[in-house]
Each structure stands twice: as C-alpha cells, then as structure tokens.
Amino acid sequence: MKRSFKYLTIAAMAISIVACKKKDETTVVEDNSSAVVENQTTPVGVDDHAGHEHATQEDAMLEEAQKNPLTTVALKESDFSFGKIKKGDVVSHVYEITNTGTKPLIISSVKPGCGCTAPDFTKEPILPGKSGKITLKFDSGDFDGNVAKAADVYANVEKAPIRIGFTAEITN
C-alpha cells in the first residue's frame, strides 16, 4: 500500500510539472448559428487519457455546471493578447460573457491550465440578456518569451467547458 501511494504521488508530481508546458490547437465550434472559438490545450508529453483522477474531477465539475437548465452564451472575445510585458509583471484581463438564452446562466467554476493564472468570475446567476465577467490574472514571473495560457469555464451550457485564453510576450 505504501509503495503504490509513493508511485501515485510521484506520478501526480510529474504530471503537474509537465502541465504548464502546453501546445495549443485552435478549433472552431458552431453553436446555434454563432461561431465560438476554443483553444484546445493538451499537456506536451502527456496522454490525454492517462489521468483518470483528472478526468473524474473534470467530469464532476461538468456535472455540477450542468445541473441547472441549460442556456446559451456569447463571449465578447475568447482570446486576448497582452502584447509585450516585463518579466515579473502581474496582469489581468476581463472577459465579458452574455447570457443569450432564456434561463439564468450559472458559472460554477473557472479552471486555469496552470498555477500562474488566477481566475475570478461572476458568482451570482446571470439573467437572460445580462452580462457577467470572468477575470484571468497572470503572473509572468516564471516565464520568458511568448506564452499562451487558457482556462476552462464550467457553466450550464450545452458545450461546456468554454475555453478562454490569452497570449503575452515576456521581455526582461
């Protein structure tokens, strides 16, 4: 038992170290006649199906998000560029999300792909026709050069999670 716990701990540490090194692919998804651009991010060198525990956690977050009646949303933008920033700068961007459906929009969680990004979001239900905010705060202290980061937004929408992201060029 102790040996398997030790191996699980080592495996979890290895996955978390690799998780911040990502490759990005862009996919366009059609949703009720409006295009939604989502960045699909996969850790480099990690099998998408390898982390059963990780999949279970995401499944639980998705299930929680979709407990409420489903609605539709529109993002003012799904990707943002900070441009050039100095290493060590902490920057943030606010993404506006509008409830275009007929049921209240409930954002249950926002999960960034890395510990360098801290999320904040509208916690109360967003009524039809109204807008809420999702803020991503990025600490550039551990990075050099071009970076691309993303976060998954879990909400009561059919195509959850919704992927939002940003890029920056870190200079010294």
Side-chain angles (χ1 to χ4, degrees), residues 15-31:
I15 290 171
S16 67
I17 289 169
V18 174
C20 280
K21 295 181 181 179
K22 298 184 180 263
K23 63 180 180 181
D24 288 339
E25 303 164 9
T26 302
T27 307
V28 176
V29 179
E30 294 295 325
D31 183 20

Side-chain angles (χ1 to χ4, degrees), residues 39-97:
N39 288 330
Q40 301 299 324
T41 305
T42 305
V44 174
V46 176
D47 180 2
D48 287 343
H49 304 290
H52 178 69
E53 181 179 317
H54 178 70
T56 304
Q57 180 186 20
E58 286 187 359
D59 289 344
M61 290 187 331
L62 186 58
E63 185 178 322
E64 176 65 28
Q66 294 183 333
K67 275 185 185 177
N68 300 294
L70 300 182
T71 191
T72 57
V73 300
L75 283 165
K76 189 171 184 177
E77 62 188 342
S78 61
D79 291 302
F80 177 77
S81 174
F82 286 111
K84 290 184 180 185
I85 61 174
K86 289 190 180 268
K87 183 177 180 114
D89 283 354
V90 176
V91 293
S92 63
H93 181 69
V94 178
Y95 299 81
E96 184 177 306
I97 187 167

Side-chain angles (χ1 to χ4, degrees), residues 29 31-32 36 38 61-75 97-109 126 134 152-163:
V29 179
D31 183 20
N32 295 341
V36 178
E38 298 179 0
M61 290 187 331
L62 186 58
E63 185 178 322
E64 176 65 28
Q66 294 183 333
K67 275 185 185 177
N68 300 294
L70 300 182
T71 191
T72 57
V73 300
L75 283 165
I97 187 167
T98 302
N99 183 349
T100 58
T102 59
K103 306 290 184 201
L105 170 64
I106 299 168
I107 301 172
S108 57
S109 64
I126 302 165
I134 303 165
D152 288 331
V153 179
Y154 290 87
N156 58 323
V157 295
E158 185 177 323
K159 296 189 182 203
I162 302 164
R163 178 71 51 102

